[in-house]
Amino acid sequence: SAPVLPKAISWGAIAYSPKDMGAGWSQGKGDRASAEKEAMAACAQRGKGCVVQSTFNKQCGALAADGNVTGVGVSADQRQALQKALDECKKAGGTRCVPHIAFCSM
């Protein structure tokens, strides 16, 4: 059988509510708007003040947080995205930044 070719477009998004640490995400969407909409809908089930933190196409995304201090990272590599998110969270003043979300949308 023929190999499955990777999709040219595969949007992912991360939404987060710093107030109550609710998070939502989406992956594999055909456009940015539907990725953001799905991430917000998933986040709204867990939190009350959701905001889209990151949107990306054919990459990996991660979110780290320490209460209301957040950091996001995007990279072709999931580990690098997570490290960027942790670094950004610490730079923003977080002292106990922990990973909340890390995934790839390819």
Side-chain angles (χ1 to χ4, degrees):
S1 64
V4 177
L5 296 172
K7 288 194 255 179
I9 298 171
S10 186
W11 284 95
I14 297 171
Y16 183 71
S17 172
K19 283 186 221 165
D20 39 30
M21 296 171 58
W25 60 92
S26 65
Q27 63 191 111
K29 297 295 164 197
D31 61 71
R32 181 182 187 133
S34 58
E36 290 178 353
K37 184 178 178 184
E38 184 174 299
M40 285 293 287
C43 183
Q45 293 175 359
R46 300 173 181 92
K48 300 227 181 318
C50 296
V51 177
V52 172
Q53 299 284 330
S54 182
T55 311
F56 42 91
N57 181 28
K58 290 186 65 85
Q59 294 207 57
C60 302
L63 178 126
D66 175 4
N68 62 355
V69 177
T70 61
V72 293
V74 175
S75 174
D77 178 78
Q78 187 170 330
R79 280 188 304 243
Q80 285 181 340
L82 186 54
Q83 190 58 56
K84 286 180 180 181
L86 288 165
D87 291 346
E88 193 177 293
C89 180
K90 288 173 189 161
K91 276 188 213 160
T95 55
R96 293 194 199 131
C97 298
V98 293
H100 275 271
I101 300 170
F103 68 94
C104 299
S105 186
M106 299 291 186

